[in-house]
Amino acid sequence: MVAGDGPRLAGDCVGILAGGGPLPGQVARAVERLGHRVFIVGFQDFAEPRVIDPWPHRYIRLAAAGEILSCLRAEGCRDLVLIGPVLRPSFSDLRPDAAGARIMARIGRALFSGDDGLLAAIVRVLAEEGFVIHGAHEFLSGSVGCSGVLGRIKPDSGALADIRRGQDVVEAIGRLDIGQGCVVQDGLVLAVEAIEGTDRMLLRAGECRQSGRPGGVLVKMLKPGQDRRADLPTIGSDTVRRAAEVGLRGIAFQAGATLITDPAACIAAADEAGLFLMGIGDGAAGMPAARTGE
């Protein structure tokens, strides 16, 4: 069924599996604007009460798959969105319930692979359980970063060269399912993103910053072949401020494949800090084209 512009939905209630950050709330508002009900399963210790409490919700442990599936079915959710960061727990900390243990067995070796491999396996299992999985970008088209320079600051030729270098690096680590981002300064790779996430990567990049050279550039892109229904690259105003704090001069993201949690706030933060914010990937004039093999 369809209500206005938006994704084609299988039912009336959309279930949101929510990690941290503001995006679960933004998806919930978008779903309601389409005329559908929302029910949120907030992952315990990750979902933020101020974000999800305005909607019907329940906090459930990450590995309590039986409880999660029963809850979603009881609420009549046939459509699901997975959104918001979750720090992967150690295997010994998971403590799955009976259904969770069965699902972990079905996921198999993907439990020990990178995030993309694990998320792809989770999406597959949820589909096998009868749910239709949607990407957050299907509901948040206004938050998908577009191509070109978004603020007042433009990258110079040196920054564009660092972006091209960063694209090569992110494509390489992405093929190994390691991460979606890196920081490059004057051709030197200061840090690559792994399990710790973007914020901690930026701290490491700041510690490795080379004095006497122009500031580095953060590059964020999809992994080659990544399923867009989970874990799209995401940038928020906090990302911009942290980039400025560690001495970066700009952020480049893959246009059409990156969620910007609050575009106006990100642009304002970038302008205030003197950073460029640029979407790459469509071959527009003056910009390198993304090389993710899409």
Side-chain angles (χ1 to χ4, degrees):
M1 56 191 296
V2 178
D5 295 330
R8 182 176 296 276
L9 301 177
D12 177 61
C13 185
V14 176
I16 299 175
L17 300 179
L23 287 173
Q26 292 183 22
V27 173
R29 282 190 290 274
V31 170
E32 287 190 331
R33 284 196 295 270
L34 292 173
H36 297 277
R37 293 189 300 115
V38 172
F39 185 82
I40 302 178
V41 171
F43 292 127
Q44 190 173 302
D45 300 324
F46 297 105
E48 300 177 19
R50 65 181 179 82
V51 172
I52 72 170
D53 281 0
W55 290 275
H57 66 278
R58 185 168 167 185
Y59 292 96
I60 303 177
R61 286 191 305 108
L62 188 62
E67 189 175 356
I68 291 170
L69 296 179
S70 295
C71 185
L72 291 169
R73 287 171 175 143
E75 293 293 331
C77 300
R78 295 181 60 193
D79 300 273
L80 297 183
V81 180
L82 287 72
I83 186 65
V86 174
L87 182 63
R88 184 191 292 213
S90 66
F91 187 77
S92 60
D93 290 336
L94 279 173
R95 295 180 293 110
D97 60 13
R102 288 194 294 273
I103 286 176
M104 286 169 63
R106 289 161 64 186
I107 290 173
R109 292 178 61 87
L111 279 169
F112 308 100
S113 65
D115 285 345
D116 194 41
L118 176 58
L119 287 168
I122 290 172
V123 167
R124 172 180 56 78
V125 169
L126 288 171
E128 291 170 355
E129 291 289 328
F131 297 99
V132 179
I133 316 303
H134 301 272
H137 62 286
E138 298 177 47
F139 298 92
L140 300 178
S141 58
S143 294
V144 177
C146 59
S147 59
V149 176
L150 302 191
R152 295 196 305 265
I153 313 302
K154 296 182 180 180
D156 60 18
S157 59
L160 289 173
D162 280 347
I163 291 170
R164 285 189 287 270
R165 169 76 162 146
Q167 287 178 271
D168 288 338
V169 172
V170 177
E171 180 175 1
I173 65 172
R175 289 192 187 282
L176 297 173
D177 198 3
I178 293 173
Q180 297 175 322
C182 73
V183 175
V184 178
Q185 182 189 18
D186 199 17
L188 183 66
V189 180
L190 301 184
V192 296
E193 183 184 37
I195 196 171
E196 83 284 359
T198 302
D199 289 347
R200 293 187 183 180
M201 177 190 67
L202 288 174
L203 291 176
R204 287 193 288 107
E207 294 169 355
C208 298
R209 181 185 177 190
Q210 305 294 292
S211 61
R213 298 183 183 184
V217 172
L218 168 63
V219 178
K220 292 208 61 144
M221 294 165 41
L222 281 175
K223 299 171 184 174
Q226 178 180 332
D227 189 329
R228 297 189 180 208
R229 290 176 293 177
D231 195 32
L232 283 182
T234 302
I235 292 170
S237 55
D238 285 346
T239 311
V240 177
R241 283 189 283 270
R242 289 188 180 95
E245 288 169 1
V246 301
L248 301 193
R249 58 173 167 164
I251 298 173
F253 59 86
Q254 186 173 345
T258 304
L259 290 175
I260 301 181
T261 58
D262 186 333
C266 285
I267 293 169
D271 285 346
E272 181 180 355
L275 270 69
F276 66 80
L277 188 63
M278 186 174 76
I280 58 175
D282 68 351
M287 296 191 298
R291 289 175 264 185
T292 60
E294 291 188 284

